Amino acid sequence: MGQFSGGCSWSFPILVLLGFQVATALARGPRGEALQHGQSGTLPRFLEEPVDAYIIKSNPIKLRCQARPALQIFFKCNGEWVHQSQHMSQEHTDVVTGLKIREVMINVSRQQVEDFHGPEDYWCLCVAWSHLGTSKSRKASVRIAYLRKNFEQDPQGTEVPLNGMIVLHCRPPEGVPVAEVEWLKNEEPLNVGDDGVISQRGDHDLIISEARLSDSGNYTCVASNIVAKRRSATAMIVVYVNGGWSSWTDWSACNVRCGRGVQKRSRTCTNPAPLNGGAFCEGMSVQKSMCNTVCPVDGSWGEWSEWSVCSSDCDRQRSRECTAPEPKHGGRLCDGVALAAENCTGGLCTQNRKLLHDAKPQGVERTSDVALYSGLAAGVVTVVLLIIAVTLYRRSQSEYGVDVIDSSALTGGFQSFSFKTSRQANPLLINSSMQPDLTVSRTYTSPICFQDSIDKELMAEHSLLNPLPDLKTKGATERAEYHVMSHPQTFPRGLAPDYRGVAVGTTLGRRGKNLFTPRVFQTLSRPLHKATAVFGHAGGRLVVPNTGISLLVPHGGIAEDTTWEMYMSINQEDSSTVPEDGAEIFLSPTVTYGPPGLDLSSPIAMTIAHCAEVAADNWTIRLKRHIQDNKWEEVMSVDEESTSCYCLLEAQRCHLLLEQPGRYALVGEALNQEAAKRLRLAVFGSPDPSNSLGFTLRVYSVDDTPYAFQEVVVGERRRGGRLLEEPKIMLFKGNTFSLQVSIQDVPRLLWSIKPFTTCQEFSFSQVWASNRCPLQCAFSLERYSLSTSQLSCKISVRQVTGEEQILQIYTSVVEQNEKGVAPFFTQSDCTITSQTGSKAFKIPPSIRQRISATFDTANANGKDWQLLAQKLHIDRNLGYFACQESPSSVILSLWEAQHQDAGDLDSLASALEEIGKVQSPREAATFGCSKEDSELTRLG
């Protein structure tokens, strides 16, 4: 293979002369050099011709020619010969034919092309010489490649009904070479033509012949060539479904028992349900019809018949019939007897031909009376002796002086009280359409603030609840103490320092009286996230208002003549902290209780609200404790056994038995894509302060815990926002799909909204790991006239391929006189955070002591604390209770925490009643407490 060389600067005539001399030299020899360049009569043949090329940016391109046989090859561009110095040539011999092959290349720069001004594009061709003549190659054009920035036509978003046709137009930017077009859907390449529904025309338009719900999304037209790639504006396609009525239900029964009434039937807009802003069904959802019910006729007695003739038994009879009127159509039967009888002789009737009133001898009568009284006295003495014998026998068979199970004091003393309350409209709602339901009867509860237990006061007065002879209770029942927030401080054992001028070390014992005076906190602009109170031997309860967080200090947990100032707080700084394991998320607020040096003889019971949907086994939930520098250590898994702490998981909250103060939180790891967390959705509204015609809707999505929603309420109070619809609960699954929020059915003739802002989206990670941080999106609307005072629309919140909730809005946009909103809780002014003494507990101290004394030690009947736990449905992880000094007392503390919102003791009374019916002995069970225990605790 020869090397490329530049050669000398020969003119074209010299080249012709050289060619003639070479031809003459070849003719002299018999074979000569002609054999090296082909047989006589052969012209050059091009093996490679120059091809069309594009100059990208400032990079020159190469044009190449190759011919055989050829003595010389030159390029000619735009009709002019290219100078010899610009040629690069090489020559080699074909190993098969032995002929010489010549190859020539030239460079064409961007400047050369731009300087050429002619009727056609810049072009070049090759001319090859042989001893017989010349040959020319094809023309190759050279063009500068480019692609404009702006599309000639961008696709436009649209809304189409299901099965409708969608046409998206796209005119790509001008470019050389012509740009190729592809479509993206939600940033992913769209497969056109695979399913026969989506196709693309030659003019690059995208056509969807029958729109499906899955075709909703963001579409982008992408044009590209060898120079660049351009993206069009994104077009949002919404495929909506108009609602359709279901079939009518059957007619209901007449609403009156007698006379003229109304019956109705209903249908729902679910066939199909409106989706993605589709129109709601037109027409009535309920039909009513008049009905007539035959009135029942209650029976009534007719007149008595005449008395019958006096019989031989000295009585007479009379009768009556239930025919005045007869009972008809379900009416009541007559009350009373239909047949009456009486003595008809006044004691003068004869029997066996003797007068019944004949007097007996006086001695005989006296003898009969003595015998009668003697028999009665003997019977009474026998019954008394029998009762004493049975009592002594039972005491000899019992291991205790008192058998609580057989005592009516424990089962007969518990009473439940129900109160009828009217269902009040939500204080945050504007134009609330919900009417009070005066027929709803429910057990009185107080989930946020403390209320005096009416049940317990009535029970305490019951004579059956007096302490049993062997259980003496010291002092009177302590009254409730109410504390407000203060800075945490640990009180040492013994005499404590003065608390606001009052010595508390000796006043909070069992005999002590509370010297504190109640103080009321003024309403604050932010919720109180910390609660502090002083507790003594009597124990008590601590609550952070409106957050679902509470703490129970058991009776007797603090030594006598000792007080501790305890606190409990929610750590707001942890709201964005993620556990070390990236797969875990917070399911509850982060709660701290203390002080750190707290010394209790029995565990406290803490209640924490969570947002996990625990109906199915889709979660692994763990309790973790904060140690340092945003590091967390695992305390226990909810599904596992542990002797260090206890966890009772319910649908919306978790009850914990803890012995070590610190910062705790519930975290969860999804086991599959069906794992879901509960979201609370709410929409608030307020006028736009910068625009008299504007009105802003703010949609919030937060974890379904009271604390998380309270943060939203506080923020809206500062803004002057109003709750426009009752908050709704939505299950958000861990399937990696995002959350979409859209506004629908806005009256277009009265209100305007900025185009393409009707749908907003939160990514999956934003929602899944929100951890109490409210997610908010806003819709800004503007009315056309000040006379428009009402706004009606719908807010759709849906997870892609998941659940959807509709928030229906109908509100006045005229600014109200009352500014701000009240907290979204039943008792908005709740500031009482603690109770101490017996009123903090539902079980009176005397009853609690008797239950603990009875069940803490095994007996022959197998009625021990294990059976108590089983009947109270907290019989999991019994090894934890076995390690406690008084298992029954800890079980009752857990029961207190579990039923703090209930207003009665029915479940405890029912459990004790069931235990009293147990007859068969139970097998003993043995549990190990810890490595330090030298003996196993044996429980019967």
Side-chain angles (χ1 to χ4, degrees):
M1 176 77 67
Q3 299 295 326
F4 288 113
S5 60
C8 300
S9 300
W10 296 344
S11 63
F12 184 73
I14 296 176
L15 291 176
V16 175
L17 178 60
L18 178 61
F20 177 77
Q21 292 174 350
V22 170
T24 304
L26 290 174
R28 291 197 193 102
R31 298 175 63 93
E33 297 180 359
L35 295 177
Q36 299 180 9
H37 300 283
Q39 299 297 325
S40 177
T42 301
L43 292 174
R45 184 171 63 86
F46 286 98
L47 302 179
E48 181 179 357
E49 297 184 82
V51 296
D52 297 340
Y54 296 94
I55 295 178
I56 301 175
K57 298 182 179 179
S58 298
N59 300 321
I61 55 97
K62 293 185 184 315
L63 296 179
R64 186 190 308 270
C65 269
Q66 194 178 76
R68 182 188 63 189
L71 297 177
Q72 193 57 271
I73 301 177
F74 287 95
F75 272 93
K76 194 175 187 179
C77 294
N78 301 319
E80 297 181 0
W81 293 99
V82 178
H83 198 275
Q84 178 70 19
S85 61
Q86 299 177 9
H87 289 73
M88 292 173 288
S89 63
Q90 67 176 2
E91 189 177 69
H92 63 276
T93 303
D94 190 340
V95 296
V96 178
T97 63
L99 299 178
K100 287 186 178 182
I101 299 175
R102 179 170 293 275
E103 183 177 6
V104 177
M105 290 186 300
I106 64 170
N107 290 330
V108 180
S109 66
R110 181 186 184 98
Q111 187 65 38
Q112 291 177 268
V113 178
E114 289 178 346
D115 292 343
F116 172 70
H117 301 285
E120 55 184 352
D121 294 331
Y122 190 99
W123 58 268
C124 293
L125 58 78
C126 292
V127 179
W129 280 270
S130 70
H131 66 286
L132 291 181
T134 62
S135 297
K136 293 183 180 181
S137 69
R138 65 177 295 275
K139 283 185 179 182
S141 63
V142 180
R143 305 177 68 185
I144 298 175
Y146 67 92
L147 184 63
R148 305 289 186 197
K149 290 185 177 181
N150 297 326
F151 277 71
E152 295 181 3
Q153 183 177 4
D154 285 310
Q156 301 295 319
T158 184
E159 298 179 358
V160 296
L162 187 67
N163 298 326
M165 175 177 287
I166 302 174
V167 178
L168 294 177
H169 300 284
C170 177
R171 297 293 180 269
E174 178 186 354
V176 174
V178 177
E180 297 181 355
V181 172
E182 65 173 346
W183 286 89
L184 302 181
K185 176 186 175 184
N186 298 330
E187 303 303 324
E188 297 291 336
L190 183 65
N191 296 323
V192 178
D194 289 352
D195 53 5
V197 177
I198 303 177
S199 60
Q200 182 175 338
R201 294 194 309 210
D203 53 0
H204 311 301
D205 292 345
L206 183 68
I207 300 176
I208 303 177
S209 57
E210 294 184 3
R212 302 158 295 188
L213 289 176
S214 59
D215 292 327
S216 296
N218 297 320
Y219 289 81
T220 308
C221 180
V222 179
S224 61
N225 62 7
I226 60 177
V227 179
K229 178 183 290 187
R230 311 293 186 200
R231 293 168 56 96
S232 70
T234 299
M236 185 177 68
I237 300 298
V238 177
V239 180
Y240 61 86
V241 178
N242 293 324
W245 289 112
S246 65
S247 300
W248 288 102
T249 62
D250 296 334
W251 288 102
S252 66
C254 202
N255 66 337
V256 295
R257 186 169 175 262
C258 170
R260 187 175 181 180
V262 176
Q263 59 181 165
K264 61 182 180 179
R265 64 176 183 175
S266 62
R267 58 180 179 176
T268 58
C269 188
T270 57
N271 187 32
L275 191 63
N276 295 340
F280 199 78
C281 302
E282 296 182 358
M284 297 184 301
S285 61
V286 177
Q287 279 188 347
K288 296 182 179 180
S289 176
M290 303 301 296
C291 58
N292 288 287
T293 304
V294 179
C295 295
V297 179
D298 296 334
S300 182
W301 292 111
E303 296 292 333
W304 287 101
S305 64
E306 297 293 333
W307 286 104
S308 64
V309 178
C310 193
S311 67
S312 59
D313 295 331
C314 302
D315 63 3
R316 61 179 181 175
Q317 298 178 347
R318 66 175 180 175
S319 63
R320 59 180 178 176
E321 295 182 353
C322 188
T323 57
E326 294 182 0
K328 296 180 181 179
H329 313 303
R332 292 179 299 177
L333 298 176
C334 299
D335 295 331
V337 297
L339 184 65
E342 67 175 10
N343 187 281
C344 56
T345 62
L348 300 179
C349 184
T350 59
Q351 187 174 15
N352 296 330
R353 300 182 181 275
K354 294 183 180 181
L355 291 176
L356 294 178
H357 71 281
D358 289 346
K360 295 182 180 180
Q362 187 176 1
V364 176
E365 183 177 356
R366 288 180 178 177
T367 303
S368 300
D369 292 342
V370 172
L372 175 62
Y373 294 138
S374 299
L376 291 176
V380 170
V381 171
T382 302
V383 171
V384 172
L385 292 176
L386 181 60
I387 292 175
I388 294 174
V390 171
T391 303
L392 293 176
Y393 173 77
R394 292 187 60 183
R395 287 199 175 187
S396 64
Q397 296 297 320
S398 175
E399 294 179 300
Y400 309 97
V402 178
D403 188 358
V404 177
I405 304 305
D406 298 325
S407 172
S408 62
L410 294 179
T411 56
F414 294 105
Q415 305 176 33
S416 62
F417 298 87
S418 295
F419 303 88
K420 283 198 174 184
T421 60
S422 61
R423 183 178 59 184
Q424 301 298 330
N426 192 321
L428 296 181
L429 289 176
I430 303 300
N431 301 331
S432 175
S433 61
M434 183 181 296
Q435 298 298 324
D437 186 356
L438 301 180
T439 64
V440 175
S441 178
R442 60 181 178 84
T443 302
Y444 178 77
T445 62
S446 178
I448 303 302
C449 290
F450 293 113
Q451 298 288 339
D452 292 340
S453 175
I454 298 178
D455 305 358
K456 190 167 54 184
E457 291 179 358
L458 294 177
M459 286 169 46
E461 297 175 359
H462 200 285
S463 61
L464 294 179
L465 295 183
N466 293 330
L468 295 179
D470 59 340
L471 291 174
K472 303 291 186 179
T473 304
K474 298 179 181 180
T477 303
E478 297 88 349
R479 66 187 180 91
E481 295 181 355
Y482 301 96
H483 301 283
V484 293
M485 309 306 174
S486 64
H487 296 288
Q489 177 184 356
T490 302
F491 286 175
R493 290 184 177 273
L495 288 177
D498 291 350
Y499 187 78
R500 295 188 180 273
V502 181
V504 297
T506 58
T507 59
L508 296 180
R510 299 182 66 174
R511 293 182 178 272
K513 296 183 179 180
N514 178 21
L515 300 181
F516 291 97
T517 57
R519 290 167 291 167
V520 179
F521 237 63
Q522 296 180 354
T523 303
L524 301 178
S525 61
R526 290 185 58 80
L528 302 178
H529 300 308
K530 185 174 182 180
T532 307
V534 178
F535 295 102
H537 183 75
R541 193 185 302 271
L542 195 61
V543 171
V544 180
N546 303 334
T547 62
I549 310 298
S550 65
L551 182 143
L552 181 76
V553 180
H555 177 85
I558 301 176
E560 293 193 54
D561 298 328
T562 303
T563 58
W564 287 92
E565 181 175 5
M566 299 179 60
Y567 63 87
M568 180 172 58
S569 63
I570 298 177
N571 301 87
Q572 293 175 291
E573 66 272 12
D574 292 329
S575 62
S576 61
T577 303
V578 180
E580 296 177 3
D581 188 352
E584 291 182 334
I585 61 172
F586 279 109
L587 297 176
S588 75
T590 304
V591 181
T592 301
Y593 86 92
L598 184 64
D599 184 15
L600 300 179
S601 60
S602 58
I604 62 98
M606 179 187 292
T607 299
I608 303 178
H610 67 82
C611 63
E613 178 61 27
V614 296
D617 297 331
N618 297 322
W619 286 98
T620 294
I621 300 178
R622 301 180 179 90
L623 176 67
K624 289 199 172 185
R625 178 172 52 227
H626 183 268
I627 46 179
Q628 60 180 357
D629 299 332
N630 290 333
K631 293 183 179 179
W632 296 78
E633 66 175 359
E634 180 176 339
V635 179
M636 70 170 295
S637 176
V638 173
D639 298 329
E640 297 175 356
E641 302 281 326
S642 174
T643 57
S644 61
C645 65
Y646 190 93
C647 182
L648 179 61
L649 187 66
E650 295 181 342
Q652 296 183 343
R653 57 185 182 176
C654 183
H655 307 286
L656 305 171
L657 295 177
L658 303 172
E659 301 178 10
Q660 180 180 352
R663 184 181 303 177
Y664 294 88
L666 287 176
V667 300
E669 179 180 359
L671 299 179
N672 50 54
Q673 292 190 354
E674 293 301 316
K677 59 185 289 189
R678 298 188 312 278
L679 299 180
R680 187 178 300 191
L681 310 174
V683 56
F684 290 80
S686 62
D688 188 347
S690 61
N691 183 0
S692 61
L693 297 176
F695 193 81
T696 303
L697 300 178
R698 292 177 295 276
V699 184
Y700 293 90
S701 170
V702 297
D703 289 355
D704 182 30
T705 61
Y707 166 69
F709 187 66
Q710 180 70 356
E711 290 289 289
V712 174
V713 173
V714 171
E716 284 296 326
R717 182 190 295 116
R718 291 196 296 265
R719 290 184 175 184
R722 295 172 286 166
L723 185 66
L724 304 182
E725 166 68 326
E726 196 77 37
K728 294 189 177 182
I729 305 300
M730 173 181 175
L731 293 183
F732 186 82
K733 293 185 178 181
N735 54 14
T736 71
F737 286 101
S738 59
L739 186 72
Q740 293 181 349
V741 183
S742 60
I743 184 171
Q744 305 170 3
D745 298 346
V746 177
R748 300 294 182 180
L749 298 178
L750 303 177
W751 292 85
S752 66
I753 186 171
K754 187 177 180 181
F756 308 116
T757 63
T758 58
C759 183
Q760 303 182 38
E761 189 168 354
F762 296 111
S763 66
F764 171 79
S765 59
Q766 285 180 291
V767 183
W768 190 246
S770 59
N771 186 30
R772 311 189 308 272
C773 296
L775 297 178
Q776 173 194 348
C777 64
F779 299 98
S780 298
L781 296 94
E782 184 175 352
R783 47 185 169 163
Y784 293 114
S785 171
L786 287 174
S787 60
T788 301
S789 61
Q790 301 291 328
L791 171 63
S792 63
C793 60
K794 292 190 298 184
I795 300 293
S796 169
V797 184
R798 62 182 291 266
Q799 184 181 16
V800 179
T801 72
E803 184 175 333
E804 180 182 23
Q805 286 287 5
I806 298 294
L807 299 173
Q808 186 71 50
I809 297 174
Y810 183 79
T811 184
S812 171
V813 297
V814 179
E815 190 169 356
Q816 303 295 314
N817 294 330
E818 297 182 0
K819 300 290 183 180
V821 295
F824 182 63
F825 295 100
T826 305
Q827 295 170 315
S828 59
D829 296 330
C830 173
T831 57
I832 298 176
T833 61
S834 66
Q835 275 188 324
T836 61
S838 61
K839 287 193 176 181
F841 303 95
K842 299 194 175 296
I843 307 175
S846 60
I847 297 297
R848 185 186 185 97
Q849 292 176 1
R850 293 161 67 181
I851 294 176
S852 299
T854 301
F855 290 104
D856 276 347
T857 307
N859 59 33
N861 294 329
K863 299 174 182 178
D864 58 3
W865 63 265
Q866 295 185 64
L867 184 59
L868 175 65
Q870 177 186 349
K871 295 302 181 182
L872 293 179
H873 308 291
I874 49 178
D875 54 342
R876 190 184 62 82
N877 194 10
L878 294 183
Y880 175 82
F881 300 109
C883 298
Q884 303 299 320
E885 181 180 352
S886 174
S888 301
S889 178
V890 178
I891 292 173
L892 293 179
S893 295
L894 184 60
W895 184 90
E896 287 270 7
Q898 189 180 7
H899 295 82
Q900 59 183 300
D901 296 341
D904 55 56
L905 299 169
D906 285 347
S907 62
L908 181 59
S910 300
L912 295 176
E913 185 178 357
E914 291 181 12
I915 294 175
K917 298 177 182 179
V918 175
Q919 300 296 334
S920 59
R922 302 172 64 248
E923 296 181 358
T926 303
F927 295 90
C929 295
S930 65
K931 295 181 179 179
E932 291 78 7
D933 292 339
S934 59
E935 296 181 359
L936 296 177
T937 304
R938 188 176 187 279
L939 305 169

